């Protein structure tokens, strides 16, 4: 049987997703025995011209991590879509835009001013040097998840995806036993379903950032006033962060039945905030309690602003 041809591509990403692929340990030998890696810019010197030379559908599966931030990201994922039978959105940035999607709160000019300062320091899309012309990709006005640009067959969520889920995907790929298209390789239910902490859905009369309180290791973090995104987040990581005494920040994206992860969490919180509670730290009004949330967008949409109904407040037409 001929070996499958698989690829890995990074769009706008930090590189952590590429590294996470190696966490499957010795299973990588099974993958290598069953498939040739035909594209992996992070690890192998494959040119875009090599990719263009493939016949359409020549690649069996390509895992794409990262969001779509530039015209290069968009052009290459559209090309990969033509060349690949299956596309996997790998990691939070490809899935829901990721942390970098928070830049959608600002315009391109605001982002460039913050990063490069005065306009004369901004990178030019075209410049000449010693008779040569240098072209840079255009930074798009709005960052989007992968599925906003090309059809996606599978999702492996997480920042980065947990190795158990990555391993589950490769086991199915190598065995030729992939589930129905559209499958998200994670749990259907929310994170609380797999969290070992005791959750009583107690009223919250004060909100704490994790460093402001010594959390009880057995009680639900949300019950203790620490904003844990578990109720609005898809399970599958075995509640890795709450098990380490840290709140979930929502990297696996919304549950199967949730459209907008941040709105779902706000809804949950609204039902829990309560005044008149016992305790020396308890605050008197709901406004006082909610005013303690340090960073609203970064808390409720840390990984999913670009995939939310808000998208960001910058609403000029897209390229
Ligand atoms: S700690 Fe977080 S994930 Fe665990 S039960 Fe509480 S809200 Fe859910
Ligand atoms: S607990 Fe939440 S933030 Fe942590 S890995 Fe799991 S889904 Fe991601």
């Amino acid at each position: 049987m001929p070996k499958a041809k698989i690829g890995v591509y990074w769009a706008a990403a930090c590189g952590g997703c590429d590294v996470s692929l190696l966490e499957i340990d010795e299973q990588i030998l099974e993958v290598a025995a069953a498939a040739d890696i035909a594209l992996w810019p992070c690890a192998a010197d494959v040119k875009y011209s090599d990719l263009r030379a493939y016949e359409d559908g020549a690649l069996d599966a390509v895992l794409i991590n990262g969001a779509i931030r530039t015209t290069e990201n968009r052009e290459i994922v559209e090309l990969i879509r033509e060349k690949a039978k299956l596309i996997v959105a790998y990691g939070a940035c490809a899935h829901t835009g990721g942390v970098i999607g928070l830049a959608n709160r600002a315009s391109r000019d605001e982002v460039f001013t913050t990063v490069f300062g005065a306009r004369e320091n901004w990178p030019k899309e075209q410049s000449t040097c010693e008779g040569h012309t240098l072209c840079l990709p255009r930074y798009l006005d709005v960052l989007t998840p992968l599925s906003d640009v090309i059809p996606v067959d599978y999702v492996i969520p997480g920042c980065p995806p947990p190795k158990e889920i990555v391993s589950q995907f490769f086991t199915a790929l190598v065995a030729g036993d992939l589930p129905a298209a559209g499958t998200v390789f994670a749990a259907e239910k929310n994170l609380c379903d797999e969290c070992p902490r005791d959750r009583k859905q107690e009223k919250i009369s004060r909100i704490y950032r994790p460093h402001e309180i010594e959390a009880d290791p057995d009680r639900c973090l949300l019950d203790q006033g620490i904003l844990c995104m578990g109720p609005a987040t898809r399970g599958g990581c075995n509640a890795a962060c709450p098990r380490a005494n840290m709140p979930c920040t929502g990297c696996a994206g919304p549950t199967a039945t949730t459209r907008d992860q941040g709105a779902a969490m706000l809804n949950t919180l609204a039902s829990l905030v309560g005044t008149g509670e016992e305790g020396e730290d308890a605050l008197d009004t709901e406004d006082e309690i909610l005013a303690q949330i340090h960073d609203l967008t970064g808390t409720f949409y840390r990984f999913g602003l670009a995939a939310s109904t808000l998208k960001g407040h910058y609403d000029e037409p897209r390229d």
Side-chain angles (χ1 to χ4, degrees):
M1 198 170 95
K3 287 172 93 174
K5 277 191 169 49
I6 62 172
V8 180
Y9 180 71
W10 53 3
C14 70
C17 279
D18 287 84
V19 175
S20 75
L21 284 164
L22 302 178
E23 285 191 331
I24 59 173
D25 300 328
E26 65 275 9
Q27 192 186 9
I28 202 134
L29 299 175
E30 283 174 41
V31 176
D36 285 328
I37 295 181
L39 169 75
W40 194 357
C42 175
D45 185 17
V46 180
K47 305 285 190 259
Y48 288 158
S49 54
D50 300 326
L51 178 61
R52 290 191 181 91
Y54 282 121
E55 289 183 11
D56 287 359
L59 305 180
D60 292 286
V62 177
L63 283 62
I64 299 178
N65 67 77
I68 307 305
R69 177 75 280 182
T70 68
T71 48
E72 181 191 24
N73 300 150
R74 190 174 61 191
E75 179 192 337
I76 299 302
V77 300
E78 286 173 349
L79 180 63
I80 291 172
R81 179 67 276 188
E82 289 172 16
K83 305 299 179 187
K85 296 186 184 79
L86 296 175
I87 295 288
V88 181
Y90 186 96
C93 296
H95 179 205
T96 56
V99 169
I100 51 176
L102 289 170
N104 280 359
R105 287 161 52 163
S107 69
R108 178 169 52 181
D109 284 5
E110 287 168 329
V111 171
F112 276 30
T113 300
T114 300
V115 175
F116 301 109
R119 190 173 280 264
E120 61 263 27
N121 299 329
W122 294 8
K124 296 177 181 56
E125 282 174 35
Q126 190 167 316
S127 54
T128 52
C129 179
E130 298 177 357
H132 299 283
T133 301
L134 173 69
C135 296
L136 291 178
R138 182 172 158 72
Y139 184 94
L140 297 169
D141 289 330
V142 177
L143 176 145
T144 51
L146 184 62
S147 62
D148 276 17
V149 177
I150 58 170
V152 164
D153 299 292
Y154 298 105
V155 174
I156 300 178
C159 180
K163 76 174 194 178
E164 292 74 18
I165 289 179
V166 180
S167 176
Q168 190 191 341
F169 169 77
F170 279 118
T171 299
L173 180 73
V174 168
D177 190 24
L178 284 165
T183 295
V184 177
F185 279 79
E188 288 291 297
K189 293 187 178 171
N190 70 13
L191 195 75
C192 300
D193 198 56
E194 59 195 41
C195 179
R197 289 171 177 268
D198 184 24
R199 184 170 183 223
K200 295 191 163 33
Q201 303 199 36
E202 290 169 5
K203 286 289 181 191
I204 299 171
S205 57
R206 187 170 188 116
I207 289 169
Y208 298 94
R209 298 172 75 186
H211 65 275
E212 293 175 332
I213 183 176
E214 192 169 336
D216 182 327
D218 299 319
R219 284 177 63 211
C220 166
L221 294 165
L222 202 50
D223 281 354
Q224 298 179 66
I226 300 171
L227 292 183
C228 179
M229 289 284 288
T233 300
R234 189 185 277 272
C237 67
N238 201 22
C241 297
R243 283 178 195 273
N245 222 19
M246 287 299 287
C248 169
T249 50
C251 80
T255 65
T257 55
T258 302
R259 166 71 185 88
D260 187 305
Q261 188 181 15
M265 189 61 210
L266 279 164
N267 193 33
T268 299
L269 187 63
S271 68
L272 295 178
V273 167
T275 56
E277 299 298 306
E278 300 287 325
E280 59 186 49
D281 287 346
L283 294 170
D284 293 330
T285 69
E286 290 173 356
D287 282 352
E288 279 182 304
I289 297 169
L290 293 173
Q292 294 179 303
I293 301 174
H294 174 66
D295 170 9
L296 267 176
T297 322
T299 299
F300 296 105
Y301 292 99
R302 183 167 306 179
F303 295 92
L305 182 63
S308 73
T309 46
L310 300 172
K311 294 267 180 196
H313 66 60
Y314 185 60
D315 56 2
E316 284 185 21
R318 295 182 198 176
D319 289 35

